[in-house]
Amino acid sequence: MLQIFGTGQHWPNHFATEPKSKSEETMSDQVAILAELGVRPQSLRKNWKEARLYETSLANGEARVASGGALVVETGQHTGRSAKDKFTVRDATTENTVWWDNNASMTPEHFDVLLEDFKTHLAGQDIYAQELFGGADLDHRLPVTVINELAWHSLFIRHLLRVPTDAEYANFKSEFTIINCPTFRADPARHGTRSETVIAVNFAKRMVLIGGTSYAGETKKSVFTALNYYLPTQGVMPMHCSVNTSDKDDAAIFFGLSGTGKTTLSADASRILIGDDEHGWSENGLFNFEGGCYAKMIKLSAEAEPEIFATTKQWGTVLENVVMDPDTRELDLDDATLAENSRGAYPISAIPNASESGRCGQPKNLIMLTADAFGVMPPIAKLTPAQAMYHFLSGYTAKVAGTEKGVTEPTATFSTCFGGPFMPRHPSEYGNLLRDLIGKYDVDCWLVSTGWTGGPYGQGNRMPIKATRALLNAALDGSLNNVKFRKDDTFGFMVPEAVPGVDTKILNPRSTWADTAAYDKQAAKLADMFVANFAKFEPYVDETVRASAPKAKTPA
């Protein structure tokens, strides 16, 4: 028997005694991709289940146990994505399909050398392999093999992707491979990288190589990147969004950047959560790319996020860079000593009202969330399909003073498609596909501001969450379509004049400002920011989308 970290708990030695399930290979068997590459590891832990991976991560000294049973791990230097170290191989497959303004390139020759060095690195090691699905849609899911050096990384991705049934394992044929070796160090001169860290994407070989970082989110986002590249060719829209539905089959899509309330507003106890981060939209309806959640932990509270908070006390949750008392094993979620981006990974089944299938019907509503710190956006506005494409390509929100060094007033932030770093294709491809789907399925589109009212950040107040929920509920149940609307002078979208249960004054942002001239100036300033940001997309969209731009100009 093996005693772990003085916890008093004893765990059976599965390496020697536990019989293998139908999905697990013997030590002498190979994952197909490893056989093709000619890699012969010391041992191969294929499709190990959660308990074995949990136990092994402790035995290997990779993790510690928190009170309640979560695994606590530290990722060292990298506590978030290494965006500047991500490269896409530029070859005949990608030359005319990848958005090179947004994706750094790597030569096929550099990738081949990198792959050979990864193979050498893996030889003779104990490695882990998971065969999983990216996507819940049975017609459009991507079978993925993920090869890891670390047991907790294998547990993480087993939480995050969708685990096949035994019958599906029997016929599993991988179509994409991710090899993650945190102890590998890239050589910029030899591999064409920027540093010792590398995320190399090769769409022709259908492979991603990750080295020099222990941050597990790189693996998750590599799957998202692959789906963002392959699915549009099938007429399927990949989206960085949350989705929920109800027993009335009235699914809703929630787009929003960090700080806009996407997770909070989509996690409605009265509705069924399909997923909180990555989804596809196909002829079959909406579907979750994942089988789990990867939630931010910093300053998480039981009062504000009870369902997510409960996962920190759950056996098997993987907590990255969360501070823990070494004696009591109690967590301090407010402590950012290790990272502001502390994270928790857990299966979606940990959320009480989550969908097991990860699928639902066609959406009835599409919501784009923005935290407008300038205080000029209304709490809700209705968008035409062309306006929805304009705001989707814009991906607007705002940073507030104090969030970054040197930020002393609200700063506009535009992240195209609400997920620009993971978009290998040109944004117009995603925007046109989204607009076509909105039209085909007659989806109502809404822009919701969870930002400031009565003035900008520092002068006004945050939009009341009660009002936001009331407006969202009215949109989702269809009653908002029955109220009277006015056209916004600056942005051109339609704004409700009165909604039951909501203070009429906040529906007209200008009326909430003590100085209306100051409002006009601020609105014109934001409008000009939109126009300047959208200039790069104008050659790729039609006149109806260009006409959706704000019309105001900054006063002299």
Side-chain angles (χ1 to χ4, degrees):
M1 304 291 282
L2 180 69
Q3 187 169 2
I4 306 298
F5 285 99
T7 62
Q9 300 183 60
H10 289 75
W11 306 84
N13 187 340
H14 291 307
F15 308 129
T17 63
E18 182 180 303
K20 297 176 177 63
S21 71
K22 293 179 182 178
S23 66
E24 294 173 333
E25 296 283 309
T26 65
M27 291 297 190
S28 62
D29 289 328
Q30 284 275 7
V31 172
I33 183 62
L34 292 179
E36 291 172 10
L37 293 174
V39 175
R40 194 73 181 176
Q42 172 68 27
S43 68
L44 175 65
R45 288 94 185 266
K46 180 182 176 183
N47 295 330
W48 275 18
K49 296 182 180 178
E50 291 78 2
R52 297 184 87 187
L53 294 168
Y54 181 103
E55 173 191 68
T56 307
S57 68
L58 295 173
N60 291 349
E62 300 172 5
R64 297 173 294 158
V65 179
S67 176
L71 282 183
V72 178
V73 299
E74 295 181 16
T75 63
Q77 175 187 357
H78 297 284
T79 59
R81 293 184 301 104
S82 300
K84 293 182 179 180
D85 294 305
K86 182 178 180 181
F87 301 88
T88 300
V89 173
R90 191 165 188 163
D91 55 18
T93 299
T94 58
E95 180 63 41
N96 298 315
T97 56
V98 166
W99 180 29
W100 293 112
D101 289 347
N102 191 58
N103 293 270
S105 65
M106 173 179 279
T107 67
E109 293 76 18
H110 275 137
F111 183 89
D112 289 344
V113 172
L114 184 67
L115 177 57
E116 287 300 315
D117 289 347
F118 262 69
K119 289 160 58 175
T120 300
H121 184 80
L122 288 170
Q125 283 204 50
D126 297 326
I127 62 175
Y128 305 83
Q130 291 287 336
E131 295 173 320
L132 303 162
F133 289 118
D137 189 313
L138 302 184
D139 295 324
H140 299 290
R141 61 190 182 183
L142 180 68
V144 180
T145 297
V146 182
I147 296 165
N148 293 116
E149 285 185 306
L150 300 176
W152 80 260
H153 271 191
S154 195
L155 175 60
F156 168 90
I157 203 61
R158 190 173 172 92
H159 282 338
L160 264 294
L161 294 186
R162 305 193 66 83
V163 179
T165 63
D166 279 349
E168 289 169 334
Y169 269 127
N171 299 297
F172 192 92
K173 287 188 66 176
S174 181
E175 296 178 10
F176 199 82
T177 303
I178 299 170
I179 303 177
N180 190 331
C181 297
T183 64
F184 181 89
R185 296 291 181 266
D187 179 347
R190 178 174 171 80
H191 302 125
T193 60
R194 186 185 71 96
S195 70
E196 292 184 339
T197 301
V198 62
I199 302 95
V201 184
N202 191 321
F203 289 118
K205 292 183 182 292
R206 303 179 75 90
M207 180 180 292
V208 176
L209 303 177
I210 303 171
T213 173
S214 294
Y215 177 66
E218 295 288 9
T219 304
K220 164 190 155 72
K221 289 304 183 184
S222 291
V223 177
F224 188 34
T225 298
L227 290 166
N228 282 337
Y229 183 77
Y230 296 121
L231 287 180
T233 64
Q234 304 168 36
V236 179
M237 177 68 188
M239 302 175 292
H240 188 202
C241 68
S242 298
V243 170
N244 67 21
T245 189
S246 75
D247 54 10
K248 298 177 183 177
D249 193 27
D250 57 353
I253 299 168
F254 295 80
F255 289 107
L257 300 173
S258 180
T260 60
K262 176 169 63 77
T263 299
T264 300
L265 293 171
S266 62
D268 185 332
S270 67
R271 293 173 63 82
I272 302 163
L273 181 68
I274 303 300
D276 76 335
D277 199 37
E278 297 167 4
H279 294 81
W281 185 355
S282 77
E283 72 279 7
N284 302 320
L286 303 175
F287 62 98
N288 195 353
F289 284 171
E290 302 177 303
C293 301
Y294 191 37
K296 286 187 177 180
M297 293 287 117
I298 193 69
K299 294 181 171 55
L300 186 72
S301 72
E303 293 74 27
E305 302 282 0
E307 294 87 2
I308 299 175
F309 184 85
T311 67
T312 67
K313 304 291 185 180
Q314 173 183 282
W315 180 92
T317 293
V318 177
L319 297 174
E320 281 184 303
N321 302 312
V322 171
V323 174
M324 179 182 71
D325 186 291
D327 296 322
T328 66
R329 300 305 173 100
E330 294 296 330
L331 304 171
D332 185 350
L333 300 178
D334 293 327
D335 191 334
T337 301
L338 296 176
E340 279 285 348
N341 189 39
S342 57
R343 294 273 181 164
Y346 49 86
I348 199 169
S349 58
I351 303 299
N353 62 330
S355 165
E356 291 184 10
S357 72
R359 301 187 293 272
C360 63
Q362 299 295 344
K364 297 291 191 298
N365 290 278
L366 185 152
I367 295 105
M368 297 183 193
L369 299 165
T370 178
D372 174 34
F374 294 93
V376 300
M377 289 281 195
I380 197 165
K382 191 168 187 180
L383 307 175
T384 66
Q387 288 172 334
M389 181 176 175
Y390 183 92
H391 285 277
F392 177 69
L393 291 176
S394 297
Y396 164 69
T397 193
K399 295 176 183 177
V400 298
T403 56
E404 291 184 7
K405 186 176 181 180
V407 178
T408 57
E409 62 179 23
T411 305
T413 299
F414 296 95
S415 181
T416 182
C417 305
F418 297 94
F422 320 112
M423 299 296 172
R425 295 180 180 274
H426 193 276
S428 61
E429 289 194 48
Y430 304 107
N432 281 314
L433 184 52
L434 182 70
R435 185 174 66 169
D436 291 346
L437 288 167
I438 289 169
K440 182 176 182 179
Y441 296 105
D442 192 25
V443 180
D444 286 329
C445 299
W446 310 92
L447 182 67
V448 172
S449 175
T450 59
W452 274 256
T453 181
Y457 172 82
Q459 298 176 30
N461 300 303
R462 194 74 190 254
M463 196 72 69
I465 185 68
K466 184 177 179 180
T468 301
R469 286 199 179 279
L471 291 166
L472 274 177
N473 289 339
L476 297 182
D477 67 22
S479 62
L480 195 56
N481 285 316
N482 301 321
V483 305
K484 186 177 180 181
F485 285 79
R486 66 173 177 84
K487 185 176 181 179
D488 186 90
D489 292 336
T490 301
F491 293 93
F493 41 49
M494 304 303 291
V495 181
E497 294 186 352
V499 178
V502 178
D503 181 0
T504 300
K505 189 176 181 180
I506 71 167
L507 294 173
N508 185 351
R510 191 173 188 270
S511 69
T512 67
W513 283 52
D515 184 346
T516 55
Y519 170 87
D520 293 340
K521 184 176 181 180
Q522 190 82 297
K525 179 180 177 181
L526 181 58
D528 282 348
M529 292 178 186
F530 266 90
V531 171
N533 172 73
F534 202 82
K536 58 183 175 288
F537 300 129
E538 287 191 353
Y540 303 96
V541 300
D542 65 26
E543 179 54 34
T544 62
V545 178
R546 290 193 291 272
S548 299
K551 300 299 188 294
K553 293 184 179 180
T554 304

